[in-house]
Amino acid sequence: MEERIHDVIDVHTPSPARMYDYWLGGKDNFAADREAAEKVIAAHPEQRELVRANRDFLVRAVAYLAEQGIEQFLDLGTGIPTSPNVHEVAREIRPAARVVYVDNDPIVFAHNQAFRATDDRVATVHADIRRPGEILGDPAVKRLIDFDRPVGLLAVAVLHFVPEGEEVIATLRKTMAPGSFLALSTGTYEGLSPEQRERIENAYAKASAPAVIRSRAEIERLFTGFDVVDPGIVHVAKWRADGPETQGRLLAGVGRLGTSSSAGS
């Protein structure tokens, strides 16, 4: 099995998804992933705490969206399955919830397919979120997501690997019905010294997706067309919680699509 994995996956190039798995204490990572992940920790010793805070944000955001009536979710850059998963959280509130997970990492795709193969209301799509048109045209997305009804779009800790983030969100926003939501978290250089920022970017330089660290203003632009709900765009540990802020930052927020901001805007 190990030989087959090495035949189809580049184990020498660090993968953001597998680095994230390493920070969470997972086992689905390789030496190159661990080496790059440790370089980030060297620049930002609180990285593991930040990643856990981000996971907690995802859980709170999905629960919030479900409480607002959202029953269908499109999860961009889902990563290796980590309990509780989006569909598990959503179904605590909306038992009929449907979820499409999207990722371009082959290990993530294999794990998600195996883990969720017996659930016909959950699907995994192997796609690059930098090409949202391909995602929208995927048969699994068409089967499970009805864009004439409100949808929850999740982009949690993924857009800091997508320079075209504004364009990606704008393309998807145009397909979304009023009452839909966007929940995202992404890296910012607020609170980082220039040296820390350089060291983190260097750690990702040879990864399959180099880091794109944004300013607060750039993150606010990702919510164009959405009305950001309270408490606004804040550190992931502070979104509807009172967790400790880390020095390195992930800003997070949730926005609702109004009637004047949907298709065609």
Side-chain angles (χ1 to χ4, degrees):
M1 177 64 179
E2 184 73 10
E3 290 181 359
R4 289 201 300 271
I5 289 175
H6 282 245
D7 287 341
V8 299
I9 294 171
D10 181 1
V11 301
H12 303 294
T13 299
S15 156
R18 299 194 302 263
M19 291 167 66
Y20 196 88
D21 175 72
Y22 174 73
W23 290 321
L24 286 173
K27 305 297 183 184
D28 297 298
N29 47 75
F30 299 102
D33 307 309
R34 295 188 286 273
E35 180 181 353
E38 285 293 341
K39 287 181 179 179
V40 175
I41 291 173
H44 175 238
E46 297 171 297
Q47 182 68 15
R48 292 185 189 275
E49 289 79 6
L50 182 63
V51 166
R52 293 189 185 103
N54 184 69
R55 277 291 308 175
D56 292 342
F57 161 72
L58 172 64
V59 170
R60 294 194 303 274
V62 170
Y64 172 79
L65 267 56
E67 289 166 357
Q68 305 309 304
I70 299 298
E71 291 188 317
Q72 50 181 359
F73 297 81
L74 183 61
D75 185 6
L76 305 180
T78 179
I80 293 167
T82 304
S83 185
N85 292 276
V86 169
H87 65 283
E88 294 168 332
V89 176
R91 287 177 182 172
E92 286 290 318
I93 300 164
R94 300 288 168 184
R98 305 185 304 278
V99 180
V100 176
Y101 296 95
V102 181
D103 207 290
N104 67 346
D105 186 292
I107 284 186
V108 170
F109 180 66
H111 274 280
N112 278 280
Q113 272 198 317
F115 187 70
R116 297 152 180 161
T118 59
D119 192 329
D120 62 5
R121 288 176 292 148
V122 173
T124 301
V125 173
H126 188 205
D128 191 327
I129 69 171
R130 291 171 293 186
R131 296 190 286 273
E134 294 181 12
I135 296 172
L136 294 171
D138 188 275
V141 175
K142 289 184 174 181
R143 177 174 67 85
L144 288 176
I145 305 295
D146 178 4
F147 284 100
D148 290 330
R149 297 175 53 243
V151 60
L153 177 62
L154 309 175
V156 176
V158 66
L159 293 181
H160 43 242
F161 304 115
V162 184
E164 313 89 342
E166 283 188 62
E167 292 80 4
V168 168
I169 297 300
T171 298
L172 295 171
R173 187 189 73 232
K174 291 176 182 178
T175 73
M176 296 162 65
S180 294
F181 285 85
L182 166 66
L184 71 79
S185 64
T186 194
T188 179
Y189 52 73
E190 278 191 1
L192 294 178
S193 69
E195 179 186 5
Q196 284 179 310
R197 179 181 178 183
E198 182 179 6
R199 291 175 70 185
I200 290 172
E201 289 176 340
N202 287 342
Y204 280 104
K206 296 182 180 179
S208 56
V212 182
I213 302 178
R214 291 179 168 87
S215 67
R216 174 177 287 272
E218 289 171 322
I219 294 171
E220 289 172 348
R221 288 203 295 271
L222 295 170
F223 284 97
T224 298
F226 294 89
D227 298 319
V228 178
V229 304
D230 288 337
I233 300 172
V234 297
H235 187 285
V236 284
K238 295 296 186 183
W239 194 86
R240 299 188 175 234
D242 193 27
E245 293 192 24
T246 57
Q247 185 178 19
R249 311 279 278 190
L250 283 175
L251 292 182
V254 172
R256 183 180 186 275
L257 190 64
T259 56
S260 62
S261 304
S262 55
S265 62

